[in-house]
Amino acid sequence: MVAENTTKNLSITLRVWRQAGPNQPGKFVDYQSKDLNPNMSFLEMLDVVNDELTLKGEEPIAFAHDCREGICGTCSCTINGKAHGPGKGIATCQVYMRAFRDGDVITVEPFRATAFPIVKDLITDRSAFDKIQQAGGFITARTGSAPDANALPVPKPDADLAMDAAACIGCGACVAACKNASAMLFVAAKVSHLGLLPQGQAERDQRVLAMVSTMDALGFGNCTNQYECSAACPKLITHDFIARMNRDYLGATLRSAFKPAPLGTGGGAG
Amino acid sequence: MATLDSKIPSGPLADKWRKHKVDIKLVNPANKRKYEVIVVGAGLAGASAASSLADLGYKVKCFVFHDSPRRAHSIAAQGGINAAKNYQNDGDSVYRLFYDTIKGGDYRAREANVHRLAEVSVNIIDQCVAQGVPFAREYGGLLANRSFGGAQVSRTFYARGQTGQQLLLGAYSALSRTIGAGLVEMHTQSEMLDLVTVDGHAKGIIVRDLVTGKIERHSADAVVLATGGYGNVFNLATYARGSNATAIWRAYKRGACFANPCYTQIHPTCIPVSGDYQSKLTLMSESLRNDGRIWVPKKKEDRLKAPDSIPEEDRDYYLERMYPAFGNLCPRDIASRAAKRVCDEGRGVGASGLGVYLDFSEVIKRLGENTVRERYGNLFDIYHEITAESAYQVPMRIFPAMHYTMGGLWVDYNLMSNVPGLFVLGEANFSDHGANRLGASALMQGLGDGYFVIPYTIGDYLASQKPGSRPKPDTAAFTAAEQSVGAMTKRLLDNKGKQPVSHFHKRLGKIMWEHCGMARTKGGLEQALQKIPALREEFWANVLVPGSADTLNQSLEQAGRVADFIELGELMCRDALTREESCGGHFREEHQYPDGECKRDDEKFGHVAAWEYQGADKTPLRNVEPLNYEFVKMSVRNYK
């Protein structure tokens, strides 16, 4: 139980990446943090350290966070070399101090990728993800034009698989974990979610083509099948979706190459 | 004194919205692109409004403080969204959803608004499915439903335990599409710090770019606030840490009335507090009450025993005992107070004594662990991460926590505040939930407001504004607002006190939880009204905000928000003190029936209290909008 399993409090050394701004040099700085309750979350530990820094007249560590329950995708620390730190299927905000031992040195860095420039300390700019979504990560359904929700049955296995893919929280851990800083898992999750549903068929080809080309243009690398992305994913999204996306991409590329010329541009229309 | 004309259409309840849509003015398609609309917030209400307005042809600018519009806290809603589809053939209807919501709100919401909400609920599900929201389905491929508190039908649509996430990502995808098409200009990491009014109309906002610290002015023909609720006044809440009241509070200070601030919802099923360092409380979805049974030991001396060592006959399934008809599915305010009562009696479990069991052993025995895992797996996982306990083996321990605010800026039937041109959607307004919100109704309201109400009603206002008449951002009103924002920032940074911002937030939270939480008294509220102004003075005398204004500065962001929370907390206590009755989430100990139920006073308080700012250190003015119940009889809620 929460209060009951309290063992000994711990003291740790925090080795944190400090960087004042996007184009400034950064470096690791050590901070001591003492007498921490193991039931404290990792971010609550940072809160405590920050209040101590504030009182000492130093600038607190900037870190991204919001919901603190693993769903908004804002928090994004690489802890001891692992995106979102120790533990499987969790985000940084769901790491608890009980995962560490007394005397540990804990290294904390931002998610590192060319496409995610550092804004300050542990905060990166992940707007590239939004740009990929804007390129095609949607089903065009203008408000008010929808048919009755039950008019189109969706087989349960398809709906369940679509939901597995849709669980992506857009945190970017897949990119941070990949040696190529590839966004393939992120893009594949959205392509699969929408492509598995009957509603998503009309734009299926153009969606995968647009999202992949935008991903490439934004400086993300390619997939070389190491699957670090799935291992780091706080929602355990499987790399199988990458294979699905590749298939979709290949098919869409072929179909677009052999697409008949649009009406009115060909001859013989009379 | 503010004019509060609710603009509720005349005629039969079921015809009001239809008739109103015919009666209100339209903006012709060619003129729509001449109007600019600012939408602040991109949660369910903001994102759905921004994309829908853009699709209509308006020029839309959308602002969020997050780094992406996909992060708003709507994303954390777990359980589901209500809609009167009656797909289960169990007797549901628009009227029944309307009635359940009015009753659930303890007869303190507007009939016409709630009926409209029930009407559009069916369109919301259609819209979301068309966008590709992967709702749970039955084996035949049709949509599945579950039941939720305060209802005796199964009308809740869900996507595992991540319904809010999926609905938000649906709205975000629509918003992304309109951004990609150049129809919406998106401003992320931009926090609204003031509302600009020109000749009494809302015509723009002042924002701070949270990365560069730059203060920007934006003008528009209308401003839509969809900035969420103010539960973080309590510091510990199920809200995201960044959720704040600054946009609505600064709008209040520019003349928008704040309605029923004391109506707050304490959610019965959250993970209990474990220590002083705690930054937030985590909700366990109400959907768990479908299958989990809530109990405490009958005898005080059993409270620290292992739960499985307590035999059936020594357990008190108190909700099933007190409310046999609704049992564990009674409304949230009732379930929360019942938990408080058994803990006050000394029967609360866990070291702190502030907890009750939510037990799944019966359903696991009946349906097997796999079925339970399929239904609630992710919630059990969250519980395990936080507590290191498996709810498949031992009962969860839960306790009520601050979760939602029914109060908010006053709006009329068009969702326009008393400041013309200022619209308020979703949790930020006060209109649809009365004194208590039923589960799975917040998502419904956010999307209803954004997809199906504001696209119609904003035209009624814009049609009265000459196209192209919006003021330029270099006019005096904008300069003055920017200066006041700059002055506050400077004051915070120059203060150089001795305590960090969190110190004051924690103290405010404790005052609010103690005096303006689940049970309130005249004496307690009067004390709070002494303590909060003192805290405010201390804040401004002693707060320490490091860093500078021209860079990313999270301490500065938080300082401004907490300064607003302190002022808003005072208004909440003032409202709670004035409302000499109990209703829904507002429970005054002086006003209860012998069995501990809320005792309303419809004659004296069958109205909305809308507070109007009168200036710093002046008592705000309490305006009243009477609630005319034409179709439903205000009665004592009965869930027995």
Side-chain angles (χ1 to χ4, degrees), chain B residues 113-187:
Chain B
N113 285 60
V114 177
H115 197 276
R116 173 175 66 189
L117 179 64
E119 286 173 60
V120 303
S121 70
V122 297
N123 306 107
I124 295 169
I125 301 303
D126 299 342
Q127 182 64 31
C128 294
V129 167
Q131 289 168 345
V133 170
F135 283 121
R137 295 198 174 249
E138 296 163 353
Y139 283 99
L142 301 179
L143 291 157
N145 291 112
R146 57 166 63 140
S147 45
F148 244 67
Q152 287 173 313
V153 294
S154 286
R155 62 160 74 98
T156 305
F157 295 78
Y158 62 100
R160 293 192 191 142
Q162 295 126 280
T163 317
Q165 180 201 22
Q166 293 309 314
L167 295 175
L168 183 67
L169 293 182
Y172 164 75
S173 73
L175 179 60
S176 295
R177 174 176 58 78
T178 47
I179 295 167
L183 305 171
V184 174
E185 188 182 300
M186 189 71 220
H187 297 257

Side-chain angles (χ1 to χ4, degrees), chain A residues 133 161-169 183-196 211 233 237-238 241-242 244-245:
Chain A
Q133 297 275 10
L161 194 57
M163 180 62 213
D164 289 345
C168 168
I169 60 173
M184 294 275 270
L185 188 65
F186 169 76
V187 179
K190 191 47 63 183
V191 163
S192 302
H193 157 214
L194 300 176
L196 277 159
M211 289 182 81
C233 176
I237 293 173
T238 163
F241 289 120
I242 296 180
R244 181 178 283 276
M245 176 175 75

Side-chain angles (χ1 to χ4, degrees), chain B residues 47-112:
Chain B
S48 59
S51 64
S52 301
L53 293 172
D55 272 337
L56 281 171
Y58 295 114
K59 283 170 83 173
V60 177
K61 283 186 190 175
C62 183
F63 297 82
V64 294
F65 70 79
H66 295 97
D67 67 341
S68 161
R70 66 179 293 152
R71 311 247 190 252
H73 200 52
S74 308
I75 206 155
Q78 297 169 351
I81 176 166
N82 286 330
K85 281 287 198 184
N86 193 31
Y87 283 160
Q88 301 301 322
N89 198 30
D90 59 357
D92 201 9
S93 61
V94 165
Y95 186 83
R96 199 176 278 278
L97 174 53
F98 153 75
Y99 181 79
D100 286 348
T101 308
I102 277 278
K103 177 185 170 191
D106 215 356
Y107 306 95
R108 287 293 176 264
R110 282 194 199 127
E111 284 182 318

Side-chain angles (χ1 to χ4, degrees), chain B residues 278-572:
Chain B
Q278 195 139 355
S279 61
K280 86 157 267 156
L281 296 172
T282 302
L283 173 74
M284 289 284 102
S285 166
E286 174 165 318
S287 62
L288 293 170
R289 289 201 273 147
N290 272 301
D291 288 311
R293 297 180 70 199
I294 294 176
W295 63 277
V296 289
K298 279 185 183 161
K299 294 179 279 194
K300 273 190 225 180
E301 52 272 28
D302 283 353
R303 68 173 201 86
L304 288 174
K305 279 192 188 159
D308 58 358
S309 72
I310 303 173
E312 273 304 308
E313 63 269 21
D314 288 340
R315 300 176 177 194
D316 180 12
Y317 295 92
Y318 57 90
L319 288 177
E320 296 169 35
R321 171 173 58 80
M322 294 194 287
Y323 308 100
F326 283 70
N328 292 301
L329 282 176
C330 65
R332 291 175 176 177
D333 55 331
I334 288 176
S336 291
R337 273 198 296 279
K340 180 179 188 297
R341 217 174 303 152
V342 295
C343 292
D344 287 349
E345 288 165 14
R347 296 191 286 145
V349 298
S352 64
L354 297 176
V356 300
Y357 289 125
L358 177 59
D359 192 338
F360 297 89
S361 53
E362 191 264 340
V363 65
I364 290 173
K365 217 175 286 165
R366 182 159 46 88
L367 300 174
E369 196 172 309
N370 278 341
T371 309
V372 173
R373 194 180 301 275
E374 195 167 286
R375 282 187 193 167
Y376 309 114
N378 74 313
L379 300 171
F380 280 46
D381 290 347
I382 293 174
Y383 186 78
H384 181 257
E385 279 150 22
I386 296 174
T387 64
E389 282 184 352
S390 164
Y392 297 104
Q393 275 136 34
V394 291
M396 288 183 180
R397 281 186 311 117
I398 53 161
F399 197 67
M402 180 62 215
H403 180 58
Y404 187 88
T405 52
M406 284 75 69
L409 292 186
W410 184 90
V411 289
D412 63 17
Y413 190 69
N414 287 333
L415 303 183
M416 188 165 85
S417 74
N418 58 304
V419 176
L422 178 69
F423 293 79
V424 192
L425 316 184
E427 191 178 348
N429 75 26
F430 87 106
S431 69
D432 292 2
H433 304 297
N436 172 56
R437 179 177 66 75
L438 289 183
S441 287
L443 305 183
M444 174 170 71
Q445 189 220 340
L447 290 178
D449 286 359
Y451 283 135
F452 297 111
V453 179
I454 190 78
Y456 297 94
T457 58
I458 202 168
D460 194 52
Y461 170 75
L462 291 174
S464 71
Q465 305 295 300
K466 219 173 119 217
S469 68
R470 69 177 163 274
K472 298 242 165 5
D474 55 4
T475 46
F478 283 86
T479 308
E482 184 181 325
Q483 278 165 355
S484 92
V485 165
M488 181 164 174
T489 303
K490 191 169 177 330
R491 195 175 161 200
L492 287 167
L493 288 169
D494 289 352
N495 203 52
K496 305 275 183 246
K498 293 205 159 38
Q499 291 291 350
V501 176
S502 65
H503 168 84
F504 299 96
H505 199 181
K506 281 180 187 166
R507 280 173 59 193
L508 174 68
K510 280 188 183 139
I511 297 172
M512 295 302 292
W513 184 250
E514 190 179 342
H515 298 302
C516 201
M518 269 188 283
R520 303 155 177 187
T521 62
K522 183 170 188 284
L525 290 163
E526 282 169 349
Q527 269 188 53
L529 286 171
Q530 301 283 324
K531 287 180 188 168
I532 298 174
L535 182 70
R536 184 181 46 162
E537 244 172 68
E538 205 186 318
F539 174 88
W540 285 107
N542 206 21
V543 73
L544 170 58
V545 184
S548 63
D550 56 357
T551 168
L552 189 145
N553 186 341
Q554 291 173 313
S555 306
L556 176 63
E557 293 163 25
Q558 201 51 20
R561 294 168 189 171
V562 170
D564 291 343
F565 283 145
I566 295 173
E567 294 179 9
L568 174 50
E570 185 179 340
L571 186 70
M572 289 163 72

